[in-house]
Amino acid sequence: MDFTIPEKTQIIVEMMDEFIKKELYPLEKDLESNDWDAFERELDKKRQIVKQMELWAPNHPKEFGGMGLTLMEHALVSEVLGQSSLGHYVFGCQAPDAGNIEILHLHGTEAQKEKYLRPLVDGKIRSCFSMTEVDMPGSNPAMLETTAVKEGDDYVINGHKWYSSSADGAEFAIVMAVTNPENSTYLQASMIIVPTDTKGFNLVRNIPVMGHTGAGYFSHGEIIYQNCRVPKENILGGEGQGFVMAQDRLGPGRIHHCMRWIGICNRAFDLMCRRALERTIAPGKKLASKQIIQAWIAECAADIQSARLMVLHAAWMIDNVGASAARKEISMIKYVVANTLQKVLDTAIQIHGGLGMSSDTVLSYFWCHERGARIYDGADEVHKTSVAKRILRGYMD
Ligand SMILES: Cc1cc2nc3c(=O)[nH]c(=O)nc-3n(C[C@H](O)[C@H](O)[C@H](O)COP(=O)(O)OP(=O)(O)OC[C@H]3O[C@@H](n4cnc5c(N)ncnc54)[C@H](O)[C@@H]3O)c2cc1C
């Protein structure tokens, strides 16, 4: 087995790494600023530089202005960009736009691609993905309550969603709604494009997450769709195809997320090692001299390495045998990496003591905003159940 990273990919990754450290780390102090507009302008300047460096939209198709990297290449890129919470946004491959771009690319009509996909890849507009509902379990999307009823040439949407990340300032939402209640469970829902200036699209609030409300891209919206009317041409793919299309983006999307989390682990690990070596804990003694700290460092290093190899293996499987055959591996990396992330962040905070709890390092921001990793993209428990079922099925034949 060859673990060598191709020279071209290595060069890209190194250029990005240098940019992140030099240009983005200094901006992280403003992540919790109340002036989103000013912050966005600052980030836009960095985005222009990234475009000039021809490093924009690494995973998006070349014909729409991206770099067209393969899944494995983008996995390595996602790792390096994940070191900063600003990385994916500044390089034009941030969730939820990245997933929406994939859906539009695979299932959009020519008109939808011109109107939504092109400006989205270009970073001129943003979008959100609106599936999870306040009153229904996100873990069981078959219970979706939002409806899109056909009236003449339109769909009329009614429903109450939340955690539509980055809805604030988005140009459009891709909404998951029941269009065909008469169909079997997983053929009832469709994805529909809803421009956010449509009457009946009501962004009620940005949900405070662990005490941070955020704004613009860095926010999570609660939305009431109230007799929200859009033309029937706004449907993506076919009626009743919502879940099938959601499955399509599952594998690659998971690799991107997990490698972003590995990037955060790497950053936290770097901070913990530096702190252990800098902090004097007794006269002439550094924190790093304590065995328990050494054990934590050794454990975290091994945890990160094993999680990373699992993700790269899952990416390799998607490339070589397809996402469907790799479903067990794609589910396993979700809970393994999310828990590694939580453990590494927790250890890094512990090693920093009071400093780790303060906002003077990026660790507390990561802690607040990445705890969700065990919940979104399918709660860990759902993935564990699905993995166990697959394994046990093999014993029943
Ligand atoms: C930061 C963040 C960003 C998000 N962004 C988006 C977004 O952009 N768009 C969007 O549509 N949604 C988004 N979500 C929502 C996310 O997808 C849901 O929170 C997730 O699917 C879980 O649904 P729920 O919150 O309704 O929890 P529930 O379904 O109510 O589940 C609650 C808990 O019950 C347990 N559980 C559930 N099912 C089982 C089971 N079968 N077996 C055992 N235990 C189980 C799990 O521990 C789970 O955490 C986001 C969430 C977060 C936290």
Side-chain angles (χ1 to χ4, degrees), residues 65-87:
M67 291 171 73
L69 296 188
T70 64
L71 180 61
M72 192 61 104
E73 287 169 333
H74 187 61
L76 297 166
V77 159
S78 199
E79 178 183 19
V80 82
L81 298 185
Q83 296 175 105
S84 168
S85 298
L86 303 171

Side-chain angles (χ1 to χ4, degrees), residues 96 128-134 136-140 162-166 209 220 369 372-382 385:
C128 65
F129 186 72
S130 202
M131 177 159 159
T132 306
E133 303 186 344
V134 176
M136 286 292 134
S139 304
N140 186 3
W162 74 342
Y163 278 100
S164 298
S165 298
S166 313
V209 172
H220 305 280
H369 293 275
R374 289 181 47 212
I375 296 170
Y376 63 76
D377 208 16
D380 283 8
E381 293 69 28
V382 176
T385 306

Side-chain angles (χ1 to χ4, degrees), residues 108-122:
T109 60
E110 283 314 308
Q112 287 168 345
K113 284 182 183 170
E114 262 327 293
K115 187 164 177 189
Y116 299 107
L117 177 58
R118 206 168 278 287
L120 198 55
V121 177
D122 206 19

